[in-house]
Amino acid sequence: MHAHVDQPEVRRVARGEYPLWDEALAVLNQDVAATHTEQGPLQLLAQPSYEAGELEYVYVALANGEWHGNHLYPKTAEDSAHALAIVADAAQDTVTELLWQAWPLCVEHNLGTHACEVDGVLSWWCSGRRSEGGPGHSCAAVGALGTL
């Protein structure tokens, strides 16, 4: 006989609970607003751990509450820049997998980009070559897709 195990209840994270994640998500939502106006802003959701003594799991979710990918580890963000990199990766996983499309796209090459540090700034990097050559290029700083 099986005992029915209920999944821990998911809740929306209140502003201020995870200040570094809040700040990073606000930056990412600028890119979502610029590229997916119909989706609404991303949000942070939390789910208690099944493990005794473990912290809750925090996810980057679409406005409708769906998420994909690994949870954020609240104690791993060292500073705002590191938190932005972690949240950008989680946001990209959620948007890409649930909307079934690469995100964000390089407008020049129509290729998916990835967050990486370029000259000390977290940027969306495209691996497409430009006419002047080179292994790829920065499309925009994370959070600045609306300025293109």
Side-chain angles (χ1 to χ4, degrees), residues 44-76:
L44 295 176
L45 296 180
Q47 183 179 42
S49 170
Y50 286 109
E51 304 293 324
E54 285 287 317
L55 298 174
E56 65 187 355
Y57 299 131
V58 178
Y59 298 92
V60 175
L62 297 176
N64 69 5
E66 294 179 301
W67 75 83
H68 179 85
N70 294 326
H71 61 276
L72 306 175
Y73 295 92
K75 294 186 177 187
T76 59

Side-chain angles (χ1 to χ4, degrees), residues 83-145:
L84 182 58
I86 293 167
V87 173
D89 186 51
Q92 189 173 39
D93 281 350
T94 291
V95 172
T96 298
E97 290 297 325
L98 295 177
L99 300 182
W100 284 53
Q101 57 188 244
W103 179 82
L105 290 176
C106 168
V107 295
E108 183 178 343
H109 296 104
N110 201 34
L111 293 173
T113 63
H114 295 281
C116 70
E117 190 175 317
V118 178
D119 297 327
V121 176
L122 189 65
S123 301
W124 294 115
W125 181 262
C126 172
S127 61
R129 292 186 176 267
R130 289 191 157 163
S131 58
E132 65 271 6
H137 65 97
S138 173
C139 295
V142 172
L145 288 175

